[in-house]
Amino acid sequence: GAGVSQSPSNKVTEKGKDVELRCDPISGHTALYWYRQSLGQGLEFLIYFQGNSAPDKSGLPSDRFSAERTGGSVSTLTIQRTQQEDSAVYLCASSLVAAGAGTDTQYFGPGTRLTVL
Amino acid sequence: RKEVEQDPGPFNVPEGATVAFNCTYSNSASQSFFWYRQDCRKEPKLLMSVYSSGNEDGRFTAQLNRASQYISLLIRDSKLSDSATYLCVVNKRGTYKYIFGTGTRLKVLA
């Protein structure tokens, strides 16, 4: 079946512009995660959505970052007034159930490579 | 101290060799453990979960040592296609946060 998809695959923007990144999770997956991976670094947790519960935004690095998930499916990560340090690969992952509930394998999308000039 | 630590490598091994990576974690409440594989400029993909009793999948064997708080991955008969970065992932009991290590890079040489 279809995996997690993300768009765009690459985004080059100028410092100060806003960008919107999209994630389509696997159908039926209730949990959705956003991560950021800078060159040579590990994955940095950004935000987590689980069903209709309030998202955990504790990993968002600043108030320029926001995310929403509409209808429990598609998610959008928005970065306002982009800075050069925002350049990274933004990865989305989904899982069938919440972590710790047994079947919690995360499936990742291909990522969006963001470059801020 | 990082919650999950891995030797970044690279580990350069010849084809057919056996190679092992360790990963240490600091939180004793950690419950679920995984190895993910990430190819260059690609997304991470689950390689295998790590169970308390240890588990094997073909040429790959994962072990968990709770007393010493580390997990290991053993790859036997290395193939060129095994060249990748191997990420150690830990999840704390009752939480949804996954902590990723920075990865160990493996290069299998012809």
Side-chain angles (χ1 to χ4, degrees), chain A residues 10 33 35 37 40-43 45 48 55-56 58-59 91 95 97-100 104-111 113, chain B residues 2 31-32 34 36 38 40-46 49 87 89 91-103:
Chain A
N10 282 284
Y33 302 75
Y35 295 91
Q37 187 173 33
Q41 300 297 311
L43 272 70
F45 166 80
Y48 165 77
D56 178 347
S58 61
L91 290 158
S95 66
V97 296
D104 50 8
T105 300
Q106 290 187 70
Y107 297 88
F108 283 84
R113 185 171 299 275
Chain B
K2 291 183 180 177
Q31 177 186 27
S32 303
F34 309 87
Y36 275 72
Q38 186 172 27
C40 189
R41 300 178 77 87
K42 297 286 188 181
E43 73 273 22
K45 292 186 178 177
L46 179 68
S49 301
L87 304 173
V89 186
N91 167 249
K92 194 172 76 170
R93 185 187 306 273
T95 76
Y96 48 79
K97 284 190 179 176
Y98 293 80
I99 309 299
F100 284 75
T102 53

Side-chain angles (χ1 to χ4, degrees), chain A residues 35-77:
Chain A
Y35 295 91
R36 177 168 72 173
Q37 187 173 33
S38 302
L39 189 63
Q41 300 297 311
L43 272 70
E44 175 189 1
F45 166 80
L46 296 178
I47 188 169
Y48 165 77
F49 294 91
Q50 173 56 46
N52 295 321
S53 302
D56 178 347
K57 306 179 181 181
S58 61
L60 296 178
S62 77
D63 59 8
R64 296 185 296 104
F65 289 72
S66 62
E68 60 180 27
R69 188 179 184 191
T70 53
S73 182
V74 172
S75 177
T76 303
L77 177 69

